[in-house]
Amino acid sequence: MSDKQVLVVGGGPVGFLTALGLAQAGIRVSLVEAEPEIVDSPRAMVYHWSVLEGLDRLGVLDDARKTGFVKQEFSHWVFRTNERINWSLDALDPITPYPYNLHLGQNELARIAWQHLERLPGTSVRFGTRISGLSQDASGVSVTLQTPQGPVEERYDWVIGSDGGGSTVREKLLKLNFFGITHPERFIATNVRHDFRQHGFLLSNLTMDPVYGAIIVRIDDSDLWRITVMEDASLPLDGVPARMDAFYRTYAPGIGDYELVQYSPYRMHQRCADTMRVGRVVLAGDAAHITNPTGGLGLTSGLFDVYHLLEVMTAILLEGASEDHLDTYSDRRRQMFIERASPQAVANKRLIFHAYQDSWLEERLAFLRRLPHEPDVVRQMAGFTKTLETHMER
């Protein structure tokens, strides 16, 4: 095992998978998470086919498939006309061993990665532990951690900040800019238990409408579904359950009993840090860049950060590669987010939640109507997420 030690800050899927990859390579790794346990509020839950190979390399895909499920079917639903465009990812069969998407709450993926991590030597995971101070020199990073037993000072060779959109590492310790915008609307992500398939829904449904736009997808085999809508951010939060009831009854007329298991109101952003590396401190995932979740490109970008960063960090720590590769990591991952992921997520938001009858929408619908009949068009659409990946040049 290497004598180098890395601190990972943040216990989401990006943090746990980064820690797991480092530990599998024989690098000592500690992970700290400010919350007392893995956060299970409704967040990302769909993993595009293009990130599954990386999960397989890390050894977690089989467990992820057992906990969640895989699917190929999609439906684009034009709410005002009731047109449903149903299509499948089976067109990817000839080009990948992973011709499907995976549905699994991001908290469950983090939990699976944690289970794999704790089996490895030289690892440590501490919940309820918050980073509050950081200083670095040419040989390492000194950090202050606020633990349930009080503050402690520790020393690491490298620190990786994967502590989410409100990252303490990025904002308070590195004091980096987080350029971009905050959308004026509010998203409401709900987990609701009901069999929506009896109302004609497929496993993944994208409802296009400026009022009733929604993402409606099944999360697991217990008929837990995720329904995400957009609303005016000035509406009172205590009225969310009643407003969601009205949405449910609009999408599924005659709906009977259902259980609103959880809901999470949140604002949407398109933002990116001005760098993802400051000396021996590196950012990944939402700590570095954050997007509205329409289309699942935030988590997709974060997982590609993990894969690229693991390639770079293991080469530096185990093979003596130049630390300059971390600057390349920063430049390329920022470029992929700014030029590809973020603009596409904005276009996805427009398609689902601002679907006004205009020429732009008609052009998009003309493209979508080709999906059920033209496999090459499916590959073209699905192939976009693969272009978000980058690799280190040796």
Side-chain angles (χ1 to χ4, degrees), residues 285-348:
D286 284 356
H289 44 69
I290 190 167
T291 178
N292 88 79
T294 318
L297 299 180
L299 184 53
T300 299
S301 296
L303 291 177
F304 282 140
D305 286 354
V306 172
Y307 306 153
H308 193 179
L309 183 57
L310 287 175
E311 190 178 10
V312 172
M313 289 299 297
T314 54
I316 291 171
L317 293 174
L318 302 180
E319 303 171 19
S322 171
E323 296 175 8
D324 292 343
H325 287 302
L326 285 170
D327 293 324
T328 302
Y329 158 81
S330 173
D331 293 343
R332 290 191 174 180
R333 295 311 308 152
R334 291 184 70 255
Q335 180 184 15
M336 286 295 172
F337 179 80
I338 293 169
E339 296 182 2
R340 298 189 181 183
S342 183
Q344 185 61 51
V346 171
N348 292 342

Side-chain angles (χ1 to χ4, degrees), residues 8-76:
V8 176
V9 181
V14 168
F16 271 110
L17 288 169
T18 300
L20 176 62
L22 293 172
Q24 288 172 340
I27 297 164
R28 298 180 186 277
V29 59
S30 295
L31 184 146
V32 296
E33 163 58 43
E35 297 298 325
E37 58 187 14
I38 292 175
V39 177
D40 68 350
S41 62
R43 283 294 187 267
M45 52 147 294
V46 176
Y47 305 83
H48 290 288
W49 70 275
S50 52
V51 303
L52 301 183
E53 180 183 1
L55 296 182
D56 207 1
R57 288 197 304 268
L58 289 167
V60 299
L61 182 58
D62 284 347
D63 285 346
R65 284 188 294 212
K66 291 173 185 175
T67 306
F69 68 93
V70 300
K71 75 95 171 56
Q72 293 182 313
E73 61 184 43
F74 286 86
S75 180
H76 279 79

